[in-house]
Amino acid sequence: MFYGDSVTGPERDRLMAARIAAITRRHARGRALTGVEEAAALAELAEVAHGRVDLLAQKAGLAIGFHGQDVDAPMYLQIAQLSIKAGADTALISRWIEEGRRRAAAVRQTPFTG
């Protein structure tokens, strides 16, 4: 997707990462996908990611690291698997898993001010 000349590199990356997250979240079912469902998800990811295997790795790693202990962890594992099947750079995933764990720990330590 083209975001226009007014969108800077870092902002363009954030927009692309958000679209990747939305696509994976929408297609994750918490159950095995049919071949047609998986093909649709991977085609949509390929269209949006434009070869940005680093952003796919970021999504995979954050999904595992941040949500690995959640009650809905299987859905986030499926999100990570979709990102990997879409071509995520697997060499980068472990770094993003650690970042996800760090972010989850920070959220747990933040007092509720509600």
Side-chain angles (χ1 to χ4, degrees):
M1 162 159 277
F2 177 71
Y3 293 106
D5 293 332
S6 64
V7 179
T8 64
E11 184 63 18
R12 187 176 18 254
D13 287 355
R14 280 191 290 278
L15 288 170
M16 191 177 289
R19 296 228 26 232
I20 289 168
I23 291 165
T24 56
R25 181 74 170 98
R26 187 175 65 253
H27 287 283
R29 307 273 191 240
R31 61 160 173 78
L33 299 179
T34 67
V36 171
E37 289 171 332
E38 184 174 283
L42 296 177
E44 193 174 352
L45 283 168
E47 181 182 334
V48 169
H50 288 289
R52 291 296 306 272
V53 298
D54 58 322
L55 294 178
L56 291 166
Q58 177 182 351
K59 181 66 218 163
L62 290 175
I64 294 167
F66 195 93
H67 299 284
Q69 302 302 313
D70 292 357
V71 68
D72 53 355
M75 186 183 63
Y76 285 96
L77 179 58
Q78 188 174 42
I79 285 170
Q81 290 168 337
L82 284 171
S83 300
I84 292 166
K85 287 181 179 182
D89 183 343
T90 56
L92 300 176
I93 293 174
S94 61
R95 183 186 88 171
W96 284 109
I97 290 172
E98 289 307 314
E99 176 62 17
R101 289 177 181 155
R102 185 193 66 73
R103 291 179 187 186
V107 167
R108 285 190 300 271
Q109 292 176 359
T110 303
F112 179 71
T113 61

